[in-house]
């Protein structure tokens, strides 16, 4: 079951990042399939929690550096075939039936997907289409994207773990909003990295990051991280303002979204303090 869980996690990452690579209509289809694979991951996780099975989010590094989309489509299909052979390790027949049904459809859809697209997500040119970046703006944007893409992936998994292991509906509502927001940010930053030729899959997350003992302290630390992220967005918006009004506007938009994330964590913190009284 743990191996099945790990491979589904890797399948989700492979599909999600293949979506970042594509510049055609295939991108949206790949995003939808990645959404489905993430659901599979959460269902398997819930099954392990019900059975009292310990688990983690440790995965192998997912290789994605390819020249054509067809190479990643083939890789995704191979990953699905490996998972199908292990579905019996999950004893919930409803989950396995659903997963197999999804795989049957997605395999057929991937086989028909236009796959000869040339991939430019790894050419390291660090140029953005129709934008003239100064050297300082380019360096600032590169550093920001690498740091924030990892942070958003980390936050997805941290909040997902918290939600999976909590029965508190109030907190789980907040965790789900933060997961959804981090998905949007990850996809935005991943697409930008691909456009600049610097796409990379985040490293595996250490267990102690999401298996924390003190939720209150985690939220306090999270608020400080979000405040820090806001400052980085402000700096980046200023750095690219002379190069691109669109970029400056986008990072101001992201910065303002962080305000609500902070408000949500403060709301969760107040709720926990009230419950502890």
């Amino acid at each position: 079951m743990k191996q099945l869980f790990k491979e589904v996690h890797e399948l989700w990452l492979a599909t999600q990042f293949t979506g970042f690579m594509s510049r055609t209509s295939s991108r949206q289809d790949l995003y939808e399939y990645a959404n489905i694979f993430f659901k599979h991951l959460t269902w398997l996780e819930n099954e392990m929690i019900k059975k009292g099975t310990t688990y983690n989010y440790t995965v192998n590094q997912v290789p994605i550096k390819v020249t054509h989309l067809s190479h990643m489509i083939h890789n995704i299909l191979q990953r699905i075939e490996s998972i199908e052979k292990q579905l019996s390790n999950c004893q919930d027949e409803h989950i396995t039936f659903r997963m197999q049904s999804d795989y049957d459809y997605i395999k057929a859809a991937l086989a028909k997907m236009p796959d000869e697209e040339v991939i430019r997500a790894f050419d390291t040119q660090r140029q953005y289409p129709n934008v003239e970046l100064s050297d300082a703006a380019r360096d600032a944007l590169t550093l920001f994207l690498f740091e924030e893409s990892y942070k958003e992936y980390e936050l997805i998994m941290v909040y997902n773990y918290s939600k999976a292991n909590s029965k508190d509906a109030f907190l789980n509502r907040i965790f789900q909003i933060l997961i959804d927001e981090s998905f949007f940010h990850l996809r935005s930053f991943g697409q930008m990295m691909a456009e600049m030729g610097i796409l990379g899959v985040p490293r595996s997350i250490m267990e102690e990051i999401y298996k924390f003992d003190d939720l209150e302290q985690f939220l306090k630390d999270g608020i400080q991280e979000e405040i820090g992220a806001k400052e980085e967005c402000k700096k980046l918006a200023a750095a690219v303002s002379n190069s691109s009004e669109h970029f400056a506007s986008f990072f101001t938009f992201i910065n303002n979204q962080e305000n609500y994330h902070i408000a949500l964590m403060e709301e969760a913190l107040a709720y926990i303090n009230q419950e502890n009284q």
Side-chain angles (χ1 to χ4, degrees):
M1 185 69 166
K2 291 181 181 180
Q3 182 63 25
L4 173 63
F5 183 70
K6 177 181 176 181
E7 290 193 26
V8 171
H9 190 158
E10 292 168 356
L11 172 65
W12 164 56
L13 285 173
T15 309
Q16 181 69 81
F17 278 76
T18 303
F20 297 153
M21 298 176 202
S22 178
R23 298 186 181 188
T24 71
S25 59
S26 296
R27 169 179 286 172
Q28 190 56 46
D29 290 332
L30 289 162
Y31 282 176
E32 295 303 328
Y33 303 150
N35 285 342
I36 291 171
F37 298 150
F38 189 78
K39 289 179 184 178
H40 293 174
L41 185 73
T42 62
W43 297 339
L44 293 174
E45 181 175 24
N46 185 61
E47 187 65 12
M48 288 193 291
I49 290 170
K50 288 194 296 185
K51 293 184 178 300
T53 304
T54 59
Y55 67 96
N56 59 48
Y57 292 145
T58 301
V59 292
N60 294 321
Q61 187 67 23
V62 177
I64 61 169
K65 195 171 182 179
V66 297
T67 57
H68 291 77
L69 192 71
S70 58
H71 299 157
M72 281 308 300
I73 298 300
H74 180 66
N75 179 270
I76 291 169
L77 289 169
Q78 286 185 315
R79 291 179 182 278
I80 291 174
E81 290 174 4
S82 176
I83 289 168
E84 287 176 315
K85 295 174 183 177
Q86 302 175 66
L87 283 180
S88 60
N89 291 321
C90 175
Q91 298 177 357
D92 187 315
E93 62 182 16
H94 299 294
I95 293 176
T96 56
F97 179 85
R98 167 61 188 271
M99 289 177 68
Q100 184 62 68
S101 177
D102 288 347
Y103 293 148
D104 289 342
Y105 173 79
I106 292 172
K107 284 190 299 181
L110 288 174
K112 297 176 183 177
M113 181 176 286
D115 60 7
E116 289 309 310
E117 182 180 353
V118 175
I119 300 302
R120 307 194 183 280
F122 312 102
D123 62 18
T124 67
Q125 292 297 306
R126 296 204 301 151
Q127 302 291 337
Y128 202 85
N130 304 315
V131 176
E132 289 293 331
L133 290 168
S134 67
D135 289 343
R138 184 180 298 106
D139 290 343
L141 180 57
T142 299
L143 180 61
F144 177 89
L145 290 174
F146 273 112
E147 290 181 346
E148 292 302 303
S149 61
Y150 173 75
K151 187 196 106 173
E152 298 301 342
Y153 167 59
E154 178 184 282
L155 288 176
I156 289 170
M157 302 316 299
V158 167
Y159 290 124
N160 184 72
Y161 186 87
S162 297
K163 180 173 177 281
N165 288 277
S166 170
K167 295 182 179 179
D168 191 303
F170 183 89
L171 291 176
N172 282 350
R173 177 187 65 86
I174 291 175
F175 292 149
Q176 187 59 56
I177 294 172
L178 292 170
I179 290 168
D180 293 341
E181 292 282 277
S182 287
F183 261 113
F184 172 72
H185 287 188
L186 176 63
R187 288 183 174 175
S188 297
F189 300 150
Q191 288 173 199
M192 294 175 73
M193 293 177 79
E195 292 283 6
M196 295 183 70
I198 56 172
L199 185 62
V201 177
R203 63 189 180 277
S204 194
I205 306 169
M206 295 183 293
E207 283 192 59
E208 55 265 33
I209 291 177
Y210 51 89
K211 292 186 177 182
F212 50 81
D213 296 322
D214 189 338
L215 178 57
E216 182 178 354
Q217 187 59 50
F218 167 75
L219 290 168
K220 289 178 179 178
D221 293 342
I223 289 170
Q224 293 305 310
E225 284 188 15
E226 293 290 352
I227 292 173
K230 279 175 57 62
E231 290 304 312
E232 290 304 313
C233 278
K234 287 180 183 178
K235 291 178 184 177
L236 191 56
V240 301
S241 59
N242 292 331
S243 300
S244 169
E245 182 179 340
H246 171 73
F247 267 178
S249 176
F250 173 74
F251 287 112
T252 299
F253 161 66
I254 294 295
N255 172 49
N256 290 335
Q257 289 192 341
E258 303 290 2
N259 291 333
Y260 187 54
H261 301 171
I262 292 171
L264 285 169
M265 287 188 282
E266 288 176 340
E267 186 179 357
L269 195 56
Y271 173 78
I272 292 169
N273 289 332
Q274 182 179 358
E275 290 294 299
N276 290 336
Q277 288 179 358

